[in-house]
Amino acid sequence: MPRTHLVRWIILFTFLFSTLHYTKAQNASDLIEVTLSSEVEEIKSGDGAWLLFQFKLAPRWHAYWKTAGQTGFPTSINWVLPEGVEMGEAQFPTPMLYEFQELVSYVHKDTFFLLARLQVDSGASFADDVISLTAQLSTLICDEGNCIPFDQELKLSIPVSNQTTPSILFKEKVELALSELPQAMPEDIQLSAVMKEDAIVLSLAKAPLADLDLSGFYFYPEGDFFTHGEKQKFKKDQEGRISVQLSKDSSSAGFSSTLKGVLSHPQFPGGWNIDLSVDQVSYGVAQENIKISKTNEVPQVESGFNQLLVMLGLILVAMSIWLYGKTNYPVKPSPVRTFFRILSLALFTFGIWLGYPGEEPDLDTQINWSPWTPEIEESSRLEGSPVFVDFTARWCMSCQVNKVVYKKKAVIEKFKELGIVALQADWTKRGPLILQALQKFGREGVPLYVYYPAQNKGEAEKQGILLPEILTQKIVLSVIEKEKAFTAPLGDSFLTLLGFAFLGGIILNLMPCVFPVLGLKIMSFVKQAGEDPRKIRRHGIIFTVGVILSFWILVGVLLGLRESIDGELGWGFQLQEPVFVFGLSIFLLLFALSLSGVFEMGMSLTGVGSQLSQKTGYLGSFFSGFLATIVATPCMAPFLGAAVGAALAMPWFSAFVVFTSIAVGLSTPYLLLSIFPKWISRLPKPGEWMNTLKEGMAFPLYATVAWLLWTLNSLI
């Protein structure tokens, strides 16, 4: 792992633990004060006005610019507006450069202002002749040792009158804020850019600029197209032209059609806005790789899924060889050897087929996905094309499963028939640009699917239609054809959600992470078949209590985090952290090796210590339930992820009920075996088959480790 990444994750964990401790004694409201005001006391329909956000931060604390840099969280504002009112993009002053632990961020300190332009439509009418506005402000405030999320809802009412009346109280503050905003680039300065394969060179030409100290220049790039934090070296040629080379971020999806940012220097306070469109950019090396288009000229999205298939294919081949060796004994009955040899050959053939690199699919027989950028989305919609945006990430299991729908013939034909522009926003590394797009829909996680129907010129702008988190062919075709949100016949009632949670808990027993652990528990039931039925019943009940209690602890921690960050917390967030994914891979790999007989760790882990199991046995059953929950978290069934995600947005009691339903579903098979001990007698008697089954259950774990390593590769 690169050194900068290691430093970044050390800082992340330091912030996490220090924030949980620090927020007990320190509230964000004690460190920051934000007010919202207007430059007018009354406004006339058809007129516009500036709205002013005033921030006051405690000493040594800072908030972040609209692009945070290498660390932090961008400051954003979401509006709730009445019909007939439009709001322009928030205007930020030029940020300051903040360096800590070799990481660079763009921040604001002390007192600063943000501005937003309000425009009232001509002839618009409002209830009680008052425009009521709501702004949802979200930012992160930090010092050198702590970071605290801050969200605040700000409301403002502006009376509507026959004449716009300026506010004497706030007019001067608005003028001050406007003077601190970056200014437009002077017309006599020649600004140009040359885009190379992995970098962009910005150049400025004007005689007075050549006399300025080059070390005073700094370009604050907007969005995640550029590499943040790199050392910027401004150079001057013989003709007096000043230039700087800016590296393109390797994780940036596609190529932006605009280059935005703020160029600062002590000699021009406030800085200059730089906003270049693609027609102002010339191209250097590898021009064919950076064209902006809706067609196949746009680089296709590369998921690296073939790498995962190769690893899974190798695991199946290894399993087939192991199975052949386990059954190739003369003592085995001939029919049994024949059956397992056929099964071994089938696994070997399927593994070769799965992992063998196939031919590239024909572009005419699949959906052509292009990397998402706001500019491509906007330009496609302005041209009247329907647009489908898939917000996804590698660590999102539901995202990967949903992609099967895109291979359905009916879905592909419908995309081709309507000329739908398919865009994929890959949030694997959680870029701020995609985060801002998610926040517009009230989300802070994936999956998210948005469909924008085609619209003709002159028509009112059509809003994006959100699809459910779990896709089916029926759902996708219904939304595209009817241009309406999909409504399930059963609705989303709480009882339906509980049913899905319970069913998901049962199916969770078959997931690769859980099946080996609980398979060992079944074998312990087999060993107990001759014991007292009441003792077996107690083992099952204690196991169930362990599962339920561990789920309660899990939901308590998640809801506590949700309250502490005062925002949405999506399921699977732990798989966004490389350190967690790496640690989980090591844990499951060791567990799989123990099941394969390399060393005896599995039984000890399942019983949480062989000594505990030998002393009473009940502690082993209790902690087996705990272990089942721990290893279940990365292998939640796809539709269960939606149920858990919904639960995390509910009140505490409802969330606990949903998680309890999952826990009961997970432990139901073993609870039934304990309540009806006669069923245990129908299970096969202990013997050599148990060791074979234990070794065989290691292979699903190896497959899970392969998937985690594939995910980790995209995070580092």
Side-chain angles (χ1 to χ4, degrees), residues 577-594:
E577 308 299 341
V579 174
F580 178 87
V581 176
F582 179 74
L584 184 61
S585 302
I586 295 297
F587 171 77
L588 293 181
L589 179 61
L590 292 176
F591 194 11
L593 290 174
S594 72

Side-chain angles (χ1 to χ4, degrees), residues 292-565:
I292 306 297
S293 171
K294 298 195 290 96
T295 63
N296 296 339
E297 290 177 330
V298 178
Q300 290 297 302
V301 175
E302 174 56 47
S303 66
F305 197 67
N306 288 336
Q307 302 170 4
L308 179 61
L309 294 181
V310 170
M311 290 189 290
L312 296 179
L314 291 175
I315 292 172
L316 286 175
V317 170
M319 187 176 183
S320 69
I321 297 173
W322 165 82
L323 185 61
Y324 180 83
K326 292 294 292 186
T327 58
N328 193 28
Y329 296 111
V331 296
K332 297 286 184 181
S334 180
V336 174
R337 292 203 308 271
T338 301
F339 170 77
F340 282 105
R341 285 177 179 176
I342 294 175
L343 180 59
S344 175
L345 179 61
L347 288 174
F348 182 85
T349 304
F350 182 66
I352 295 295
W353 174 83
L354 186 66
Y356 185 80
E359 297 181 358
E360 290 294 328
D362 187 356
L363 292 177
D364 294 331
T365 59
Q366 66 171 340
I367 297 175
N368 298 328
W369 293 93
S370 302
W372 172 89
T373 66
E375 294 78 17
I376 293 179
E377 176 189 309
E378 182 180 2
S379 63
S380 300
R381 295 183 62 195
L382 289 176
E383 292 176 8
S385 300
V387 176
F388 188 96
V389 185
D390 178 358
F391 292 89
T392 184
R394 279 198 185 188
W395 38 259
C396 171
M397 177 65 79
S398 298
C399 301
Q400 304 305 322
V401 174
N402 285 339
K403 285 177 173 47
V404 176
V405 176
Y406 303 142
K407 298 181 180 180
K408 301 292 185 181
K409 182 178 180 181
V411 175
I412 296 174
E413 290 178 350
K414 183 59 66 173
F415 269 65
K416 299 287 185 181
E417 174 188 341
L418 299 179
I420 297 175
V421 178
L423 303 177
Q424 185 179 101
D426 189 350
W427 202 48
T428 298
K429 294 189 177 181
R430 296 170 296 170
L433 195 63
I434 295 179
L435 175 62
Q436 293 175 7
L438 290 170
Q439 289 175 335
K440 290 180 180 179
F441 296 98
R443 300 284 186 87
E444 294 186 359
V446 293
L448 176 66
Y449 307 98
V450 187
Y451 176 64
Y452 297 95
Q455 61 184 55
N456 299 321
K457 292 184 178 180
E459 284 186 340
E461 182 178 355
K462 295 183 179 180
Q463 299 299 316
I465 302 172
L466 298 184
L467 283 75
E469 291 186 0
I470 303 302
L471 296 183
T472 64
Q473 176 178 312
K474 179 180 178 182
I475 291 175
V476 174
L477 293 179
S478 173
V479 171
I480 292 176
E481 292 172 352
K482 299 179 181 179
E483 298 186 358
K484 294 181 180 179
F486 180 82
T487 304
L490 295 178
D492 295 324
S493 67
F494 186 66
L495 291 179
T496 302
L497 184 62
L498 288 182
F500 273 106
F502 178 79
L503 181 61
I506 293 178
I507 297 179
L508 199 57
N509 290 292
L510 302 178
M511 292 295 103
C513 300
V514 187
F515 183 65
V517 179
L518 300 182
L520 295 175
K521 190 60 188 173
I522 285 183
M523 288 188 286
S524 71
F525 274 123
V526 173
K527 293 179 181 180
Q528 299 164 5
E531 297 183 5
D532 184 358
R534 288 180 298 178
K535 186 176 181 181
I536 297 174
R537 191 176 298 115
R538 292 193 196 104
H539 275 286
I541 294 175
I542 291 174
F543 174 83
T544 302
V545 171
V547 173
I548 293 176
L549 184 59
S550 58
F551 265 92
W552 284 355
I553 293 174
L554 176 63
V555 69
V557 171
L558 292 175
L559 292 178
L561 287 174
R562 183 189 71 179
E563 297 299 326
S564 66
I565 66 177

